[in-house]
């Protein structure tokens, strides 16, 4: 697999940062709406086996992508299986 610049954290929280998830866990993501009173809550479950890790980011845009005319991904989430050379996204 390619080498990416990840940040390790117990709870991913900053925008536009790729986080590497090392163990099975639930990542909570809260997106506030314009009125600052209503929100959406997402719970992303990472069920990881040996040789696997998760990737999580919110409001992510690659640093090589121009901001003009390109939106960021609300949530980027996947599981990488190094042994089988697979990336699983759901």
């Amino acid at each position: 697999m390619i080498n990416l610049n990840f940040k390790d954290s117990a709870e991913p929280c900053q925008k536009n940062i790729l986080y590497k998830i090392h163990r099975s866990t639930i990542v909570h993501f809260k997106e506030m709406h314009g009125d600052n009173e209503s929100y959406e809550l997402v719970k992303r479950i990472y069920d990881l086996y040996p040789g696997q890790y998760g990737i999580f980011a919110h409001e992510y845009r690659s640093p090589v992508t121009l901001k003009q005319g390109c939106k960021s991904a609300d949530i980027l989430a996947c599981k990488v299986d190094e042994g089988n050379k697979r990336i699983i996204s759901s």
Side-chain angles (χ1 to χ4, degrees):
M1 298 287 176
I2 61 172
N3 291 325
L4 297 172
N5 187 20
F6 292 112
K7 184 171 184 178
D8 292 320
S9 175
E11 186 67 25
C13 56
Q14 294 180 347
K15 291 181 178 182
N16 208 35
I17 301 289
L18 282 178
Y19 289 94
K20 187 173 187 178
I21 310 297
H22 296 280
R23 57 180 164 62
S24 294
T25 190
I26 299 174
V27 175
H28 298 89
F29 171 71
K30 185 176 182 179
E31 182 177 33
M32 298 298 293
H33 292 285
D35 61 8
N36 288 325
E37 292 181 17
S38 59
Y39 61 88
E40 293 176 68
L41 181 61
V42 176
K43 295 180 182 182
R44 175 67 169 116
I45 300 169
Y46 284 92
D47 188 17
L48 303 173
Y49 296 99
Q52 296 180 339
Y53 63 89
I55 297 174
F56 180 85
H58 68 93
E59 299 294 331
Y60 184 75
R61 182 188 310 103
S62 171
V64 299
T65 304
L66 296 175
K67 290 182 180 181
Q68 184 180 5
C70 183
K71 293 187 175 194
S72 58
D74 283 343
I75 296 177
L76 171 68
C78 62
K79 180 168 43 174
V80 178
D81 187 329
E82 292 280 357
N84 293 312
K85 297 184 180 184
R86 295 175 58 192
I87 298 176
I88 302 111
S89 178
S90 56

